[in-house]
Amino acid sequence: MNADPRRLARQLGHEFARLSLLELALTHRSAASANNERLEFLGDALLGFVIAEVLCERFPQADEGRLSRLRATLVKRESLARLARELNLGDYLRLGSGESRSGGHTRDSILADAFEALLGAVYLDGGFEAGRRVVLARFSDSLAATSLERSNKDPKTRLQEWLQARRRPLPDYAVLSVRGEDHDQTFTVACTLTDADLGVRGEGSSRRRAEQAAAQTMLEQLDHD
């Protein structure tokens, strides 16, 4: 690990009684047989339940399908990777030499999995309420921006409507790279606003999904600005 994991724990707002759980959460399968995959499984379950609980409380009129779409948007890989980057999680990861050389510490899939593993580690160390507190703290901004109206439209459509309402040019999308075998590819797409010299990237298992991820990141950037 390049950075002290205790600093990461302070960012999470959880003091680990068992630091070994935190270290395990940061260990990728390429680095050791004892790795974060089981913690990721736990963290995924915890995250799904806590987000579902919040959505049910906030939107009592929404049906199961609408709630499922809202949750899927909040906990998708690109969203988790963004939250991981806010924690500089890549600086703490323990990767095998091959993954390290290929830039695994910046890859969405590895970051998202490690983020879920962190949640699993917090749960095992401090119990459900500790895990719930961390989830709500990290997702506070995303949850505040969630609405039923927005859930009906995909990110590319919402970005297009946002720009058209302000009479601005539509974004440009360009494929930057395609990695992996034919059956397991990862597309990287750039989304650029030509009138503002602003560009972001998104990744996905298809060009469409990568474009949607890039559009979502652009929307978040515009909301932030």
Side-chain angles (χ1 to χ4, degrees):
M1 299 180 197
N2 297 322
D4 186 347
R6 288 172 292 190
R7 185 189 312 165
L8 176 61
R10 289 193 293 270
Q11 285 181 274
L12 286 174
H14 178 75
E15 184 175 350
F16 279 83
R18 291 181 288 170
L19 194 61
S20 59
L21 282 172
L22 175 57
E23 293 171 345
L24 186 62
L26 299 170
T27 302
H28 186 255
R29 65 176 178 269
S30 64
S33 57
N35 56 63
N36 63 9
E37 289 184 328
R38 287 170 60 87
L39 289 176
E40 175 200 340
F41 173 77
L42 275 178
D44 175 69
L46 172 70
L47 177 60
F49 177 81
V50 173
I51 295 299
E53 178 187 40
V54 173
L55 293 176
C56 281
E57 290 176 352
R58 281 192 55 189
F59 305 113
Q61 71 276 34
D63 60 22
E64 182 270 341
R66 186 74 63 84
L67 292 171
S68 294
R69 287 192 293 275
L70 287 171
R71 182 177 60 181
T73 297
L74 287 164
V75 304
K76 65 184 179 181
R77 183 172 69 178
E78 295 82 8
S79 301
L80 300 185
R82 176 177 55 80
L83 292 173
R85 291 189 176 95
E86 291 178 0
L87 293 166
N88 295 315
L89 190 52
D91 294 344
Y92 301 91
L93 293 179
R94 181 185 173 198
L95 303 172
S97 57
E99 283 290 357
S100 183
R101 284 196 301 271
S102 65
H105 63 285
T106 66
R107 193 168 302 143
D108 274 11
S109 57
I110 290 178
L111 289 172
D113 290 348
F115 181 84
E116 288 183 326
L118 275 180
L119 299 179
V122 171
Y123 166 75
L124 286 184
D125 188 69
F128 176 77
E129 283 305 320
R132 186 176 186 274
R133 282 195 300 271
V134 171
V135 170
L136 294 180
R138 303 318 305 179
F139 280 83
S140 59
D141 290 343
S142 299
L143 286 167
T146 298
S147 69
L148 291 179
E149 291 74 21
R150 296 179 69 177
S151 71
N152 286 328
K153 298 178 180 178
D154 62 71
K156 284 186 69 176
T157 300
R158 287 192 280 116
L159 177 58
Q160 177 177 317
E161 291 179 350
W162 192 95
L163 294 169
Q164 288 176 329
R166 292 158 179 79
R167 303 193 180 197
R168 294 178 58 176
L170 296 182
D172 288 334
Y173 294 94
V175 176
L176 299 180
S177 67
V178 182
R179 304 190 307 273
E181 303 296 329
D182 289 345
H183 66 283
D184 186 24
Q185 291 184 323
T186 298
F187 289 74
T188 301
V189 167
C191 173
T192 306
L193 300 186
T194 56
D195 65 335
D197 193 26
L198 178 62
V200 298
R201 297 185 179 190
E203 289 189 352
S205 57
S206 67
R207 176 172 180 166
R208 178 182 175 277
R209 290 183 177 179
E211 288 178 348
Q212 296 288 7
Q216 179 63 38
T217 301
M218 180 63 77
L219 282 165
E220 291 167 358
Q221 181 67 51
L222 293 170
D223 285 344
H224 181 268
D225 291 343

